[in-house]
Amino acid sequence: IHGSSEYDGEVHVDGFDVNLVAFEGSPEGMPFDTPIAEYVYDYSANLAEVETGGVRMNLIPKEGSNAFTGGFYTNFAHPSWLANNVSQEIVDRGLTGGKDGGLRGDQSWMFAPSLGGPIVEDRLWFFISFSQRKASFFPPSLFNNTDTSAMMYVPDLDNPTKSVSDTYEGTGRFTLQATASDKVQVYWSNNHTRQVPALSGSNLFPLYIAPESGSEGTGGINTYQLTWTRPQSDRILFEAGVSYLPAHNILYPLNNAYGSPGNGAHLGARTDLPGVFEFSNLTLSRNMGFIFRGSTVHFSTKNQSARASMSYVTGSHNLKVGVTHNMKRQSEAYQSDTWTNLGTFYGVPAQAYFESRPPETNELTNMGIYVQDQWTLDRVTVNAGVRFDYFKGFYPDHTSMPGMPTHSFWAPNPISFEGATAVSWKDLQPRLGLGRLGWAH
């Protein structure tokens, strides 16, 4: 948008940053729209309260009222409703499985009930929701391995791989009118996903990942928020809040029980054999060890955020001063402290890789202080502001695991890595935007 980087995008829930540590612009999962009242997009001449110049999407949760209201949403799709647009030209370009090798559906459905209303009239309200979505399909050009113990992946064209995705979320928001001016809100959500197989096929192009080298991916995200608002007068508004967002993602080796004879019998990972990376066609097979250096991977993240601001609003003149603070921590752990993988060339081993990867932790703290002023004169609006940002990315001390007895020649003793600060930045950003109905600059 206007030349900004895709990594400048931000996703917020009620004004709180929910982006990952490792992937800029990528949120910790996306909530269902069942509990969301409003989607607010900032995409042009961002105000000083927004850290970057990219697109910000802010999701505002629903809240209860004195009237009981509810809703129920559902949808479903039958496999026969999915068209196949695979042409002979696409087949000639390498799509495996002929014209029947295109995307084929298996099942797709969703249901989402919600309810809101008073607990104590004029004093305390609630809004709760539950959403679940399940989808399974057969991706194009993805077939189970004929023999997962072999050195090379050979697709079984009579046994396509089924991809299953299951997501559910429960939410609750409670609103307390503590005084005539003070409103306090508590928001909670739990979002859980399961995908089998995760990271398979061409998901990491140009690599091709055989089904058994994918994983059973599960993830859980909890969101806890506490906010306070107080209109001090008809022109002055105080706002503050804190947010805590712990999350985990686990990649398990694909279970043999996932398939059944004639429909996925060869899909399970072979954790008893070295993983294989075939150099001639960039294909991974047997298990996911070549990418993740272990049989099971745990990702754990913790996002802590706080915000506070004061706004002065007259209609033609809007002034806002505030502060934001984010602390994020991401940890990675790998089951099996020593792992062996093979690099092959047309099925012949050419290299061996021995991994003894320690747990990893990365942290950051990010604080911003801003002042923004908006004036509207006739049909012209001037946005002016300044923002100070402090950003620090660092990691603590790490210690590797000692090698197993069979690999004692390679890593007989633990190795320590001293913690360090990766980056420490201070930035002062002026902001200026000028707009008029019919044109903008």
Side-chain angles (χ1 to χ4, degrees):
I1 301 296
H2 303 297
S4 65
S5 167
E6 61 181 299
Y7 301 116
D8 282 342
E10 292 188 11
V11 178
H12 290 191
V13 174
D14 203 16
F16 294 103
D17 183 352
V18 295
N19 285 33
L20 281 161
V21 177
F23 303 99
E24 301 93 333
S26 176
E28 283 276 19
M30 283 297 291
F32 286 83
D33 57 10
T34 311
I36 303 303
E38 185 178 3
Y39 291 81
V40 181
Y41 293 88
D42 295 315
Y43 62 90
S44 178
N46 282 349
L47 300 177
E49 64 181 301
V50 183
E51 181 182 9
T52 66
V55 178
R56 179 181 74 158
M57 180 172 65
N58 189 20
L59 285 64
I60 310 298
K62 295 177 181 177
E63 59 185 67
S65 66
N66 278 335
F68 282 100
T69 59
F72 180 80
Y73 174 82
T74 185
N75 64 38
F76 70 94
H78 192 272
S80 63
W81 299 349
L82 183 64
N84 187 344
N85 63 350
V86 176
S87 64
Q88 186 60 46
E89 178 188 358
I90 297 177
V91 174
D92 294 340
R93 290 168 59 185
L95 184 69
T96 308
K99 289 188 177 182
D100 293 332
L103 177 67
R104 293 192 293 116
D106 179 66
Q107 61 174 313
S108 175
W109 53 264
M110 172 184 170
F111 72 93
S114 60
L115 178 66
I119 298 176
V120 178
E121 191 169 342
D122 295 328
R123 189 75 171 178
L124 181 62
W125 306 272
F126 76 94
F127 185 88
I128 57 175
S129 71
F130 178 80
S131 305
Q132 183 170 7
R133 177 188 297 115
K134 187 164 188 174
S136 57
F137 63 96
F138 296 92
S141 286
L142 188 60
F143 298 87
N144 297 341
N145 199 342
T146 303
D147 182 3
T148 54
S149 65
M151 284 292 187
M152 291 190 69
Y153 165 69
V154 178
D156 183 353
L157 299 183
D158 295 324
N159 204 350
T161 301
K162 182 168 69 172
S163 176
V164 179
S165 178
D166 191 6
T167 306
Y168 67 83
E169 179 185 69
T171 72
R173 193 178 201 190
F174 298 89
T175 304
L176 172 65
Q177 193 68 46
T179 69
S181 299
D182 296 287
K183 184 170 74 171
V184 178
Q185 292 187 308
V186 176
Y187 176 74
W188 166 86
S189 74
N190 175 266
N191 185 295
H192 186 272
T193 62
R194 176 179 179 268
Q195 185 175 356
V196 182
L199 295 178
S200 61
S202 300
N203 283 351
L204 296 180
F205 183 83
L207 298 178
Y208 184 87
I209 304 174
E212 74 274 9
S213 284
S215 64
E216 179 179 341
T218 63
I221 304 168
N222 287 317
T223 303
Y224 306 95
Q225 293 184 355
L226 174 65
T227 58
W228 165 77
T229 59
R230 177 183 175 86
Q232 187 67 30
S233 68
D234 59 353
R235 293 190 175 188
I236 297 177
L237 174 67
F238 292 100
E239 298 177 276
V242 292
S243 172
Y244 179 54
L245 196 152
H248 72 271
N249 292 276
I250 305 176
L251 300 178
Y252 296 101
L254 214 58
N255 194 328
N256 279 306
Y258 170 72
S260 58
N263 185 20
H266 308 292
L267 193 58
R270 293 298 301 267
T271 57
D272 58 329
L273 296 173
V276 171
F277 178 42
E278 172 57 42
F279 296 141
S280 65
N281 54 16
L282 303 181
T283 297
L284 286 77
S285 60
R286 283 189 177 175
N287 55 59
M288 65 177 183
F290 201 93
I291 293 181
F292 294 108
R293 278 60 173 170
S295 58
T296 303
V297 187
H298 297 250
F299 298 94
S300 174
T301 62
K302 294 180 180 179
N303 289 8
Q304 301 176 61
S305 302
R307 59 176 174 83
S309 64
M310 183 198 73
S311 301
Y312 175 79
V313 179
T314 67
S316 61
H317 179 209
N318 303 323
L319 173 69
K320 188 173 184 178
V321 297
V323 59
T324 61
H325 187 256
N326 295 312
M327 295 179 62
K328 302 184 181 183
R329 178 185 178 97
Q330 177 168 304
S331 300
E332 304 174 14
Y334 305 84
Q335 183 176 324
S336 180
D337 54 350
T338 302
W339 194 261
T340 305
N341 296 286
L342 298 176
T344 62
F345 189 71
Y346 289 100
V348 178
Q351 288 183 339
Y353 300 84
F354 302 100
E355 302 287 346
S356 183
R357 190 167 179 175
E360 298 179 14
T361 299
N362 296 285
E363 301 184 48
L364 68 83
T365 182
N366 188 7
M367 184 181 70
I369 302 172
Y370 62 89
V371 179
Q372 63 187 35
D373 204 5
Q374 184 182 74
W375 286 87
T376 301
L377 305 173
D378 193 14
R379 300 172 69 184
V380 177
T381 299
V382 179
N383 292 308
V386 63
R387 180 183 176 95
F388 171 78
D389 280 295
Y390 170 72
F391 181 94
K392 179 182 178 182
F394 58 99
Y395 56 89
D397 295 343
H398 288 74
T399 301
S400 70
M401 300 294 291
M404 297 293 284
T406 54
H407 295 148
S408 59
F409 66 93
W410 176 66
N413 300 307
I415 301 174
S416 296
F417 303 88
E418 185 177 354
T421 297
V423 295
S424 181
W425 295 330
K426 298 179 180 67
D427 188 28
L428 188 65
Q429 305 175 44
R431 303 288 179 93
L432 180 62
L434 179 65
R436 183 181 186 274
L437 187 64
W439 61 269
H441 183 70

